């Protein structure tokens, strides 16, 4: 009887696994690593990155750079591990952070942090972005995010951005990677939640601007507050239309 019960339990878990797997394929057909893996396999022919070495990959996502006020946040994370059924249920919810609700982003960021081998978040303040320029600042942030990892990667995947000074053989820059790779999507969620939390903290320092509501995006409310009170310390002074209020 014990054996029969074990078999029934195993069968039930396999059915649940298959159901989740099929739902995942239907709901997130584009959210996979196929494109990225194809690129990496091509690179492996000319490097020491062989498939039998079980390499670690790191995925980098720059949080959107179009916000009027924010610290640019980058998340770096290694390949997720642990394929149990509970994890698979959570994996099916991971997507480009722009396509995930705030409630799910908060829930998923804890799951991602617990599941990944290592993650790193690096901030560049608005004053430094104004001094360096957005492209150079992004490169600096990517590099430091990599350095902050406890588990060092053999290869880096970014959402289109090429990291200056980092070996071309050790990075893949894929357009819309956060919609193609569940790992890059995970990085985008970490970056988004971290930046939104920063905006809530900034709202306490600068209560007139409503950062806790618009999270630094160029909404009507945000622009009205800037017109009333001018730009504050965390606004990017070199960016339009902020430069008109400095």
């Amino acid at each position: 009887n014990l054996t029969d019960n074990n078999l029934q339990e195993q069968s039930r878990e396999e059915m649940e696994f298959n159901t989740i797997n099929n739902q995942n394929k239907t709901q997130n057909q584009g959210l996979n690593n196929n494109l990225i893996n194809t690129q990496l396999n091509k690179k492996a022919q000319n490097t020491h990155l062989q498939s039998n070495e079980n390499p670690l990959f790191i995925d980098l996502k720059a949080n959107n750079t179009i916000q009027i006020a924010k610290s640019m946040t980058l998340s770096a994370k290694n390949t997720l591990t642990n394929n149990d059924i509970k994890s698979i249920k959570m994996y099916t919810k991971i997507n480009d952070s722009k396509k995930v609700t705030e409630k799910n982003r908060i829930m998923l960021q804890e799951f991602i942090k617990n599941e990944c081998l290592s993650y790193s978040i690096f901030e560049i303040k608005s004053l430094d972005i104004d001094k360096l320029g957005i492209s150079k600042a992004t490169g600096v942030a990517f590099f430091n995010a990599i350095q902050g990892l406890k588990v060092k990667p053999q290869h880096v995947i970014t959402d289109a951005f090429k990291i200056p000074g980092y070996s071309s053989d050790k990075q893949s820059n894929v357009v819309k990677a956060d919609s193609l790779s569940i790992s890059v999507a995970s990085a985008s969620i970490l970056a988004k939640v971290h930046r939104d939390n920063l905006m809530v903290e900034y709202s306490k320092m600068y209560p007139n601007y409503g950062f806790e509501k618009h999270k630094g995006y160029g909404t009507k409310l945000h622009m009205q507050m800037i017109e009333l009170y001018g730009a504050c310390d965390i606004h990017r002074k070199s960016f339009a239309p902020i430069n008109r209020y400095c």
Side-chain angles (χ1 to χ4, degrees), residues 29 52 72 108 130 145 162-163 178 188-189 191 198 203 208 214-215 220 228 235 242:
Q29 291 180 357
N52 60 358
M72 186 166 59
L108 287 168
D130 286 337
K162 184 175 182 179
I163 306 172
D178 47 5
S188 76
I189 290 172
L198 281 179
S203 71
N208 293 330
H214 53 66
K215 301 300 192 296
K220 183 178 180 180
L228 280 174
H235 285 107
I242 298 300

Side-chain angles (χ1 to χ4, degrees), residues 92-104:
T92 62
K93 299 179 184 295
I94 296 175
N95 206 331
D96 176 356
S97 62
K98 297 185 292 295
K99 300 176 182 178
V100 181
T101 65
E102 181 177 7
K103 179 180 178 180
N104 281 341

Side-chain angles (χ1 to χ4, degrees), residues 158-169:
T158 74
D159 186 14
F161 186 84
K162 184 175 182 179
I163 306 172
Y166 202 84
S167 173
S168 297
D169 291 335

Side-chain angles (χ1 to χ4, degrees), residues 191-217:
K192 172 66 174 169
V193 173
H194 184 78
R195 192 197 66 84
D196 284 356
N197 289 339
L198 281 179
M199 290 295 104
V200 173
E201 292 303 310
Y202 283 143
S203 71
K204 300 173 184 177
M205 300 169 59
Y206 308 97
N208 293 330
Y209 294 90
F211 288 118
E212 77 283 1
K213 297 178 181 178
H214 53 66
K215 301 300 192 296
Y217 291 92

Side-chain angles (χ1 to χ4, degrees), residues 124-182:
I124 292 189
K125 303 299 182 183
S126 55
L127 181 63
D128 294 321
I129 296 174
D130 286 337
K131 288 180 179 179
L132 295 173
I134 190 62
S135 181
K136 188 173 182 180
T138 301
V140 169
F142 270 132
F143 184 83
N144 282 280
I146 296 171
Q147 296 304 308
L149 285 167
K150 294 180 179 179
V151 181
K152 301 305 179 185
Q154 292 181 345
H155 199 87
V156 172
I157 302 168
T158 74
D159 186 14
F161 186 84
K162 184 175 182 179
I163 306 172
Y166 202 84
S167 173
S168 297
D169 291 335
K170 294 185 178 181
Q171 62 177 304
S172 294
N173 319 115
V174 183
V175 176
K176 295 183 178 181
D178 47 5
S179 293
L180 295 169
S181 165
I182 196 169

